[in-house]
Amino acid sequence: MSSADAVKATRSPRRGEETNALREAGTIAGWTMLFWSGAQLAGAWLERSETMAVGVQAAIAEWCAGKVGIPWSDPSAPLPSARLVATRIGRGAVLGGGCGGLVVSVALAAHRATIARAQPAVGALVLGLLVAALSAVRDELFLRGAILRMARGLLPAWVALLACGAAEAAARFGTGDGGGLALLVDALRGIALGAVWTRDRGAWMACAANAAWAWTLGSATRGAAFDIRFATEPEAGLPALAVTAAAALAAAVWALRRSGPRP
């Protein structure tokens, strides 16, 4: 066999793998868009009940995850125990809640927020946590899980993380909520959460981090536990930009250096 034939024989399997990966990515993208559209319709139909709306959307996202193979845990590893899952959830909650608390601290230190008297409301805290958790499941499966699933075998890990950030920003832009700074904060947050997915190789830690972030900057500091009066929306201000930029950089380095070969 000539050297040219040998090179051709070596490249053919690789081209076949790339073709299969492209075909699979297209299938995943098609199903994801279909389920995403269904989730948006459900949200519009149930707009009078936020809890019901995000609950249905989370169920649709989980249905999509099962259809296209988005993992909650590393599919190449043994089935995790309940204790291990709880540990991963706890770590994610610490990461997300810590970043949210840091945003509040920076805003207070920079005099971009003030503390007002609040009457703690346990019911509002619990309801806020439920909505944050369901919203996190919806967003993580659609905006991170599906993106990383499509990118597997096609894109380098760092490009996949940038795609996660772009998807998060596009989702916010689609709702018309927030300006340019809010889009940038969301993009950085998407990169950070995508890195958590890559490092954890599943959804548990990222969902917990997302939920803890939203809960900390939502009901927990909007009167249910504390009443923090921000100069601007907490997720669209300079403190959030500084924290998410640092978090995105740190999480990306943490994930890309230690994640090892992806299953």
Side-chain angles (χ1 to χ4, degrees), residues 120-210:
V122 177
L125 274 175
V126 173
L127 182 60
L129 181 58
L130 176 61
V131 171
L134 292 172
S135 299
V137 170
R138 176 199 63 198
D139 292 345
E140 289 307 313
L141 294 179
F142 276 133
L143 302 179
R144 252 74 64 190
I147 296 296
L148 293 173
R149 181 72 179 83
M150 284 185 280
R152 189 171 69 188
L154 288 176
L155 301 174
W158 66 271
V159 177
L161 296 185
L162 293 179
C164 289
E168 181 71 32
R172 175 179 280 272
F173 183 78
T175 63
D177 184 16
L181 191 58
L183 293 177
L184 181 56
V185 169
D186 263 28
L188 291 168
R189 191 167 65 91
I191 292 172
L193 290 168
V196 173
W197 266 85
T198 302
R199 181 66 180 89
D200 189 46
R201 297 186 177 181
W204 292 109
M205 191 182 295
C207 283
N210 191 334

Side-chain angles (χ1 to χ4, degrees), residues 56-140:
V56 172
Q57 289 177 328
I60 293 173
E62 172 57 24
W63 186 8
C64 176
K67 183 70 176 178
V68 302
I70 300 172
W72 280 87
S73 297
D74 186 351
S76 65
L79 188 66
S81 63
R83 181 177 180 180
L84 181 57
V85 170
T87 300
R88 292 162 62 191
I89 291 174
R91 289 174 179 171
V94 169
L95 291 174
C99 288
L102 191 56
V103 170
V104 175
S105 299
V106 172
L108 290 172
H111 303 290
R112 299 184 66 87
T114 57
I115 302 178
R117 287 187 176 183
Q119 191 72 26
V122 177
L125 274 175
V126 173
L127 182 60
L129 181 58
L130 176 61
V131 171
L134 292 172
S135 299
V137 170
R138 176 199 63 198
D139 292 345
E140 289 307 313

